[in-house]
Amino acid sequence: MDFLSLLEQGLIFGIMAVGIVISFRILNFPDLSVDGSFALGAAVSASVLINGGSAILATLAAIIAGFAAGSATGLIHAKGKVDGILSGILVMIGLYSVNLRIMGKSNIPLFAVNHLFASKEGSLLKIVLIVAAVKIVIDLFLRTHAGFVLRALGDNTKVVEGLGVNPGNYKVLGLGLANGLVALSGGLMSQYQGFADISMGIGSLVTGLASIILGESLLKRFGFIGVTTIAIVGSVIYRVILAMAIHYGLQPSDLKLVTALILLVILILEKKMGGKYARV
Amino acid sequence: MLEFKQIQKSFQTVQGEQVLFSGLDLAIQKNEFVTMVGNNGAGKSSLFKMIVGDMQPDGGDVLLGNHSILSMPTHLKKARIGKVYQDPAAGTIGIMTLLENMALADRKGERVSLQFAIRKSARERYGELLKDLGLGLENKLDTPMKELSGGQRQAVALVMATMKTPQLLLLDEHTAALDPKTARLILDKTQTLVTEKGIMTMMVTHNLQDALSYGNRLIMMREGKIVEDAQGRTRDQLSLSHLLEQFYTA
Ligand SMILES: Nc1ncnc2c1ncn2[C@@H]1O[C@H](COP(=O)(O)OP(=O)(O)OP(=O)(O)O)[C@@H](O)[C@H]1O
Ligand SMILES: [Mg+2]
């Protein structure tokens, strides 16, 4: 097993898990558009790169595109009064076509262009820096007035409205932020693996949820540990588990089933132990 | 001043149209603390809902400070109004700590910003506010709200609703779920806060004695109409037995 690349992948997917923590845990919003916005990040970043854009530009463009996609889910739900789950599904399906449009074909190789991880040299350092930056920014954000409003929204929209805040606007903002991070993760992953593929996002949401729940069940019993740490650490541990599954003879194509089973087992175990951590 | 003008409201029910208000008029002045009583279904909560925008009247107008507030966006209206209702879980954020809840209330009506939510010296200031309640809440600033008792939550909700002096305070059976001792404490606190800050207040209660003991104007409603409205000396002379009698003459 190549532990370095497991760690690197775990950290990159950790950014996605932080995004999912924001929608599922903080906003309490079952955002099913994640698979689409992860692939969107990859598609946007790859097409900026092959059109001569810099790696920084490609990565920023991925974040902005993800923010727009998340806002779309939020707007459909908050202004269009469509059920939350359905809003996410609509955006996810729509994004499949959008992503194909952006890419022009179903796979874009990035071996010929310069990007963040064109040389594997120093990749761990770059990834650690990016993930640390994301973690610090989100941790700080959650302590601001706006951050408090998002946390409050996940619990009681009426109280938020009573404070003179329009709840819909902040749901849109929160979902934008969440999917901006998911797309950032997708953009980084496409550069890391050297290609973007239209099917890259499939299973992202379940993977992310499994990571978060894993992180929660392992870390929460040690007292106060922030949601961002839980997401990132959970994501790394989850990669290691998947690698072990392959090491012991499973095919990479079996991994989605493994993910589903892991999630199922954790959910059942946690419910049995009082359901303290498992909350999807 | 708060003013209801010619309020009309009816509902479509299985038995056909059910009229609740047919031209209700009511004006409440700035220094008034109105206690409201009336049988179930009299329309007390509906009046409150029309003020905050959770219900739209079919006709008439609602004015706050001389301006119609019917078409104002709900969240902007609520920014100027404090409210505490019956359900202790409904007035505060359960997953956030007492300190965090107070910090949010402290910024009520402000534009949401990227400033840190908890201001310097907040801890001491909120501690002082809570200490007045005498429930020991000043030592629970880091406890999540959902771990507090209903009475404690209701006390915090009251402090939060009045922290930024609202133009109007609406209390809908806010002590109904509390034990008699805590209910008394919250009502006393309500009276003090409202008088000190001079907040125009409407308080619904089913406890007739409370309706007489607190506030400075009493209104009794029945089937969408005001059947008793007493203030000043008339109110001072009202007796519990008279109120009870009123209640049973339907
Ligand atoms: N959305 C609605 N649809 C139909 N009828 C309604 C609706 N809201 C209120 N009503 C009716 O209006 C009447 C007044 O209700 P309201 O809740 O204002 O009474 P209340 O005086 O607060 O009573 P209580 O003391 O029980 O709280 C009731 O008959 C109720 O059935
Ligand atoms: Mg009522």
Side-chain angles (χ1 to χ4, degrees):
Chain A
M1 271 185 275
D2 177 1
F3 275 106
L4 182 65
S5 86
L6 283 182
L7 178 60
E8 291 174 341
Q9 287 180 36
L11 288 171
I12 292 177
F13 281 121
I15 297 177
M16 173 184 75
V18 172
I20 297 176
V21 155
I22 293 177
S23 46
F24 275 73
R25 287 290 193 265
I26 292 178
L27 288 174
N28 225 336
F29 186 95
D31 176 15
L32 298 192
S33 73
V34 167
D35 289 13
S37 34
F38 186 83
L40 174 69
V44 167
S45 140
S47 63
V48 170
L49 286 170
I50 56 164
N51 284 302
S54 70
I56 303 280
L57 182 68
T59 310
L60 289 178
I63 299 178
I64 292 168
F67 188 91
S71 307
T73 306
L75 284 171
I76 293 172
H77 173 64
K79 310 289 170 188
K81 309 286 176 215
V82 175
D83 170 70
I85 290 190
L86 210 49
S87 307
I89 292 179
L90 289 176
V91 169
M92 178 190 66
I93 285 295
L95 278 177
Y96 191 82
S97 301
V98 172
N99 293 345
L100 261 179
R101 278 270 176 196
I102 292 172
M103 291 171 65
K105 50 189 173 181
S106 59
N107 187 297
I108 301 180
L110 295 173
F111 301 111
V113 294
N114 198 17
H115 57 75
L116 280 178
F117 309 112
S119 111
K120 286 285 170 213
E121 202 88 343
S123 58
L124 179 63
L125 180 65
K126 283 182 206 159
I127 294 171
V128 167
L129 286 178
I130 295 172
V131 172
V134 166
K135 180 182 151 44
I136 290 168
V137 168
I138 299 298
D139 284 350
L140 286 177
F141 173 74
L142 289 177
R143 290 170 53 198
T144 66
H145 187 194
F148 270 40
V149 167
L150 292 195
R151 291 173 56 201
L153 263 184
D155 189 60
N156 192 331
T157 7
K158 281 281 171 196
V159 172
V160 173
E161 193 174 54
L163 294 167
V165 175
N166 184 337
N169 290 352
Y170 285 85
K171 273 196 186 152
V172 174
L173 176 81
L175 287 171
L177 184 64
N179 285 283
L181 292 173
V182 171
L184 167 61
S185 173
L188 291 174
M189 189 45 75
S190 68
Q191 298 180 47
Y192 183 82
Q193 64 188 17
F195 64 88
D197 192 279
I198 190 68
S199 65
M200 260 176 81
I202 298 175
S204 308
L205 175 61
V206 178
T207 307
L209 282 177
S211 306
I212 293 165
I213 293 172
L214 200 61
E216 282 171 346
S217 38
L218 294 175
L219 293 182
K220 268 221 172 143
R221 48 202 78 198
F222 298 115
F224 259 101
I225 293 179
V227 283
T228 51
T229 311
I230 284 174
I232 295 164
V233 173
S235 175
V236 171
I237 296 174
Y238 179 73
R239 285 296 130 189
V240 174
I241 293 181
L242 282 194
M244 273 164 34
I246 292 186
H247 183 76
Y248 289 110
L250 284 175
Q251 296 298 310
S253 56
D254 296 330
L255 290 185
K256 302 260 191 277
L257 179 61
V258 174
T259 298
L261 289 177
I262 291 177
L263 189 55
L264 182 65
V265 169
I266 301 175
L267 284 173
I268 292 172
L269 281 182
E270 290 289 2
K271 273 264 152 54
K272 286 235 153 76
M273 296 189 300
K276 206 165 166 194
Y277 310 109
R279 183 165 63 93
V280 178
Chain B
M1 189 167 77
L2 172 74
E3 231 182 321
F4 294 92
K5 278 188 170 164
Q6 284 297 307
I7 297 293
Q8 313 273 347
K9 182 76 193 177
S10 36
F11 300 102
Q12 299 303 329
T13 64
V14 273
Q15 293 103 9
E17 191 177 62
Q18 185 204 345
V19 180
L20 178 57
F21 299 117
S22 47
L24 178 105
D25 283 306
L26 174 64
I28 290 163
Q29 306 302 325
K30 205 181 163 301
N31 56 357
E32 286 180 331
F33 176 177
V34 179
T35 54
M36 291 185 84
V37 293
N39 55 317
N40 296 128
K44 307 175 296 295
S45 300
S46 298
L47 274 188
F48 283 14
K49 284 185 192 156
M50 284 193 275
I51 301 172
V52 295
D54 290 339
M55 184 190 283
Q56 286 293 321
D58 302 333
D61 207 351
V62 183
L63 289 84
L64 182 60
N66 292 325
H67 299 286
S68 170
I69 54 168
L70 276 185
S71 52
M72 193 189 269
T74 307
H75 68 281
L76 294 184
K77 255 187 273 203
K78 290 187 176 174
R80 299 160 59 181
I81 299 170
K83 57 188 177 61
V84 186
Y85 291 173
Q86 183 173 351
D87 177 9
T92 50
I93 307 290
I95 53 155
M96 295 174 85
T97 65
L98 179 46
L99 179 71
E100 292 169 336
N101 269 276
M102 298 281 284
L104 270 175
D106 202 7
R107 291 183 180 273
K108 175 164 170 165
E110 270 178 39
R111 259 188 65 179
V112 178
S113 71
L114 287 176
Q115 289 173 25
F116 284 121
I118 297 177
R119 296 189 162 99
K120 261 196 293 180
S121 77
R123 204 169 258 282
E124 292 90 271
R125 263 195 314 124
Y126 303 160
E128 286 300 313
L129 285 176
L130 294 168
K131 210 172 182 166
D132 283 350
L133 292 168
L135 291 169
L137 287 169
E138 62 278 10
N139 303 318
K140 301 205 165 176
L141 279 170
D142 296 310
T143 309
M145 277 317 286
K146 61 169 187 248
E147 291 173 18
L148 299 181
S149 78
Q152 291 171 326
R153 283 188 82 158
Q154 209 64 338
V156 174
L158 179 67
V159 171
M160 282 171 61
T162 50
M163 209 159 157
K164 285 289 181 85
T165 310
Q167 232 178 320
L168 170 68
L169 179 63
L170 299 176
L171 308 167
D172 196 348
E173 302 182 41
H174 71 312
T175 54
L178 310 182
D179 70 60
K181 186 164 159 251
T182 315
R184 179 66 161 288
L185 182 122
I186 302 275
L187 284 169
D188 287 342
K189 184 69 192 171
T190 306
Q191 178 97 317
T192 325
L193 275 173
V194 163
T195 322
E196 267 173 12
K197 301 193 171 198
I199 307 172
M200 173 163 61
T201 302
M202 293 172 83
M203 176 175 97
V204 171
T205 175
H206 282 302
N207 185 316
L208 298 181
Q209 184 56 56
D210 288 345
L212 283 171
S213 316
Y214 298 93
N216 51 26
R217 177 175 172 186
L218 186 146
I219 289 176
M220 181 184 275
M221 291 186 70
R222 186 186 305 136
E223 289 165 12
K225 292 185 182 61
I226 292 168
V227 292
E228 176 90 58
D229 183 351
Q231 42 193 317
R233 283 180 58 86
T234 340
R235 178 181 182 278
D236 296 339
Q237 285 160 2
L238 271 185
S239 68
L240 190 58
S241 52
H242 170 75
L243 273 188
L244 274 171
E245 208 173 291
Q246 275 277 21
F247 226 100
Y248 287 106
T249 51

